């Protein structure tokens, strides 16, 4: 039997915060989902076409305001 793929928690253009890699336990705001990929999300600043170089795993992305 085929297993249905999981629906991603965030959709493209969703406003999100990302867990920083420089200050443990801190979140950085002001990002949006640019692309949903197999391992997680590519994010960017709104209005900017370039994405950050890292792929963020789902545990490191939360909806803005959570």
């Amino acid at each position: 039997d085929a297993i249905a793929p999981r629906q991603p928690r965030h959709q493209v253009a969703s406003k999100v915060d990302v867990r920083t890699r420089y200050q443990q336990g801190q979140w950085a705001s002001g990002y949006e989902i640019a692309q949903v990929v197999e391992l997680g999300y590519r994010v960017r600043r709104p209005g900017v076409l370039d994405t950050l170089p890292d792929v963020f795993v789902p545990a490191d992305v939360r909806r803005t305001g959570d």
Side-chain angles (χ1 to χ4, degrees), residues 3-56:
I3 297 173
R6 285 187 55 186
Q7 181 70 14
R9 186 172 17 164
H10 306 289
Q11 303 299 318
V12 171
S14 297
K15 305 297 184 221
V16 295
D17 301 335
V18 296
R19 191 181 312 267
T20 69
R21 291 181 169 77
Y22 307 107
Q23 297 174 311
Q24 291 289 18
Q26 299 294 314
W27 292 86
S29 61
Y31 293 93
E32 70 180 16
I33 301 298
Q35 184 180 22
V36 178
V37 296
E38 185 176 345
L39 297 177
Y41 304 98
R42 292 196 176 278
V43 300
R44 65 178 168 218
R45 292 284 187 184
V48 177
L49 295 178
D50 295 327
T51 63
L52 295 182
D54 295 331
V55 171
F56 288 81

